[in-house]
Amino acid sequence: MRHLPTLCAAALLAGCTTMADTLHGSLTPPAGLGYAVFSMTVRTYNPGYAAANLSWRGLDNERYGMVYANFGTDTVFGEEGMTPVDGRLQLLALPPGRYQLQTGYARWNDDPGDDLVFNYKGYASFRLDKPFEVRAGETVYLGQLRFNLDYRPDVEFGDEQKRDFGHMRRVWKVNDLSAIRLQPFSGKVGRSN
């Protein structure tokens, strides 16, 4: 029981670790792993009340997971002087193999009214099925997934290398990005629900 305050303080400090603290200025993955990097952004009337999840899974292994973006609090800053966008730059540390961005889910509300917390009026799911490969010791850039949530919701894929690499330099404090393998997705998928 005497160690409880120390454990609580350690847990709080661990929660404050930034991506820059984790990467220590390098996108060289830990031994036996590779990185996949992509941004999740949004276009909607009220990004402050929008969020998205994205699930991924291994095609060669039993790995799977989910990443999250809260468009009201997350920002991709880009290079100095660029206009920031609502979204999050994601980094997955994975064993070598083939993977797939599987499904995206988005929630939003253009007019939250009085209930600012649980008042999501829009919901959409998107079947992505976008394969990619992770190699040990390498980082692959998959581009941007933009959740367009007005009118007919869809997810649009594109290459936002300048902005995303600028964010890695400026916020993640990684200066050497020359070894990143570029494999940005393209196209668009409509909602599946």
Side-chain angles (χ1 to χ4, degrees):
M1 205 59 168
R2 321 185 301 221
H3 300 290
L4 187 59
T6 305
L7 291 174
C8 289
L12 284 173
L13 289 175
C16 296
T17 302
T18 66
M19 189 62 76
D21 296 332
T22 302
L23 294 175
H24 304 290
S26 172
L27 270 180
T28 302
L33 297 177
Y35 287 145
V37 176
F38 58 92
S39 57
M40 293 170 62
T41 64
V42 71
R43 185 180 71 196
T44 187
Y45 290 120
N46 199 341
Y49 298 98
N53 296 338
L54 187 144
S55 66
W56 57 269
R57 71 179 181 91
L59 299 176
D60 299 328
N61 56 45
E62 301 295 317
R63 303 269 179 161
Y64 61 91
M66 186 172 285
V67 292
Y68 176 78
N70 180 335
F71 301 119
T73 59
D74 296 330
T75 305
V76 181
F77 290 97
E79 294 180 351
E80 188 72 38
M82 290 182 88
T83 302
V85 297
D86 300 309
R88 175 178 276 186
L89 193 61
Q90 305 284 2
L91 182 136
L92 301 176
L94 301 168
R98 294 177 310 125
Y99 293 87
Q100 179 171 280
L101 298 183
Q102 197 164 354
T103 308
Y105 306 94
R107 296 174 311 283
W108 70 97
N109 189 352
D110 295 330
D111 183 18
D114 294 332
D115 187 357
L116 301 179
V117 178
F118 298 106
N119 195 14
Y120 289 111
K121 293 190 176 156
Y123 172 82
S125 64
F126 308 93
R127 187 83 190 165
L128 305 176
D129 295 333
K130 289 291 191 178
F132 63 97
E133 182 182 2
V134 171
R135 300 175 189 159
E138 289 187 11
T139 298
V140 59
Y141 172 68
L142 304 176
Q144 169 184 256
L145 288 81
R146 186 175 72 189
F147 289 79
N148 299 315
L149 302 179
D150 300 326
Y151 305 115
R152 294 184 174 161
D154 63 26
V155 174
E156 189 173 352
F157 304 95
D159 185 352
E160 288 293 337
Q161 179 183 341
K162 182 175 180 180
R163 183 200 64 215
D164 292 348
F165 279 37
H167 184 94
M168 286 185 244
R169 284 187 200 93
R170 187 173 166 197
V171 179
W172 291 3
K173 308 295 185 200
V174 176
N175 292 318
D176 184 8
L177 303 173
S178 61
I180 296 177
R181 183 168 43 95
L182 304 177
Q183 187 187 324
F185 298 126
S186 61
K188 187 185 288 194
V189 295
R191 73 189 303 167
S192 57
N193 66 331

